[in-house]
Amino acid sequence: GNVKKVDTPKTWLETIQIVEYLRAYSNGRMGWFALDSVMIISGAFGIFSKKAVIEINGYNQNTVAEDMELVLKLRKNALKNNTNINISFIPDAVCWTQCPDNLKTLSIQRKRWQRGLLESLWSFKYLFFNIKNKKLGFFVFFFFVFVEALGPIIELVGYISLVLLAIFGFLDWIVCVYFYLLALCFGLILSFCAILIEVIFFKYYSPKNILKLILVCFLENLWFRYIHSYWRFIGSIQYLRKAPLHWGDMKRIKF
């Protein structure tokens, strides 16, 4: 029952997901926790007060984002009753998840995540610009709507605009390259910061592992982020079309 050794996976695709998780947890949720505005506690890693969960009638069985839905329902209930609620994020890893090791399975997971995000945000639009909790309503919810939810659509519009500008001869290639390098550097800095937090505070990975994670940051920004945006865009379209949702076959591999 004890973790004896921490190592990076064999495949690059799984290692890219380690960087994603480090960035989401070390940079993201720890930041939201500092603002007392955590909007999601991952289902596999969440511990909740039984009394508080029963008070809001438990999990919604008709959603694919039950973890986010539950946290937002707890926050909505606290705002409604004008009570305090403590939703914390603890960064120390005491349990581990097995992530998809192939593009097909990963695409199914990410489309489902995007649909679940949109579903949760729409279900709890009451919190958007809610004056009772200014940080949550005016900042965090705003971020999730315009960056997380609409991000893939904004990216796609940007790529289409670039193609059209290039076709009609209006594209300044020098400026385009500068903006690409700026975006690349910004993405790398976020990933490097997440790895740096891991190196300074948690020390789970060996120097060899850290070097591999750094290399993966470049791979992610060269190709993975684009295909990931495409999956999220398709997930958004599926949500808008109310297409039937299936969890898919998440195969687990023996260590």
Side-chain angles (χ1 to χ4, degrees):
N2 296 321
V3 176
K4 298 294 185 181
K5 181 184 178 184
V6 176
D7 206 345
T8 51
K10 293 179 181 179
T11 70
W12 288 101
L13 185 62
E14 290 171 290
T15 310
I16 284 175
Q17 291 174 76
I18 289 181
V19 173
E20 278 191 301
Y21 277 76
L22 284 175
R23 192 169 55 238
Y25 292 147
S26 300
N27 292 3
R29 291 184 195 170
M30 284 177 67
W32 297 131
F33 171 55
L35 294 172
D36 187 27
S37 299
V38 174
M39 283 200 2
I40 178 172
I41 295 292
S42 300
F45 305 106
I47 299 175
F48 296 91
S49 161
K50 182 178 178 181
K51 180 182 177 182
V53 171
I54 290 175
E55 187 178 322
I56 58 170
N57 299 318
Y59 284 98
N60 180 355
Q61 297 183 33
N62 300 313
T63 180
V64 294
E66 70 287 339
D67 43 12
M68 186 175 190
E69 194 269 348
L70 183 65
V71 172
L72 288 174
K73 196 154 58 170
L74 287 166
R75 286 202 176 278
K76 181 179 179 180
N77 186 61
L79 286 174
K80 182 180 178 181
N81 297 309
N82 199 27
T83 57
N84 292 323
I85 185 169
N86 179 25
I87 298 178
S88 304
F89 175 75
I90 302 172
D92 302 276
V94 294
C95 48
W96 301 75
T97 187
Q98 191 174 39
C99 57
D101 68 336
N102 61 83
L103 289 173
K104 182 180 179 181
T105 307
L106 184 59
S107 69
I108 293 171
Q109 181 195 63
R110 297 311 169 87
K111 290 171 190 174
R112 188 181 73 247
W113 283 7
Q114 183 68 12
R115 290 182 64 171
L117 170 68
L118 293 172
E119 182 182 70
S120 296
L121 292 175
W122 180 253
S123 298
F124 292 90
K125 52 186 179 292
Y126 158 85
L127 296 173
F128 198 26
F129 291 139
N130 190 298
I131 200 166
K132 289 184 179 179
N133 191 325
K134 294 179 181 178
K135 285 183 291 187
L136 186 68
F138 286 83
F139 181 59
V140 187
F141 212 93
F142 184 90
F143 174 89
F144 271 82
V145 169
F146 287 98
V147 177
E148 297 290 347
L150 298 180
I153 298 171
I154 293 170
E155 278 196 51
L156 182 66
V157 170
Y159 299 143
I160 293 173
S161 300
L162 282 175
V163 172
L164 291 175
L165 287 170
I167 290 173
F168 292 105
F170 294 112
L171 187 65
D172 188 326
W173 290 100
I174 302 284
V175 174
C176 185
V177 169
Y178 284 153
F179 269 104
Y180 172 74
L181 291 175
L182 179 65
L184 178 65
C185 290
F186 183 71
L188 289 173
I189 288 170
L190 288 176
S191 298
F192 290 160
C193 286
I195 295 173
L196 185 63
I197 291 172
E198 147 64 28
V199 170
I200 295 174
F201 295 104
F202 304 110
K203 302 179 177 65
Y204 286 123
Y205 295 103
S206 67
K208 181 181 177 181
N209 291 157
I210 294 298
L211 178 60
K212 186 177 181 181
L213 293 177
I214 291 173
L215 292 174
V216 156
C217 294
F218 290 94
L219 287 177
E220 181 192 15
N221 279 278
L222 289 175
W223 70 274
F224 180 77
R225 62 171 294 182
Y226 305 108
I227 193 171
H228 186 214
S229 293
Y230 170 73
W231 291 335
R232 292 172 61 203
F233 175 76
I234 296 300
S236 301
I237 298 298
Q238 289 175 344
Y239 171 76
L240 293 173
R241 290 177 53 214
K242 300 188 183 301
L245 179 63
H246 305 286
W247 271 72
D249 186 13
M250 301 295 287
K251 293 181 179 179
R252 303 296 180 184
I253 302 169
K254 291 184 179 180
F255 287 95

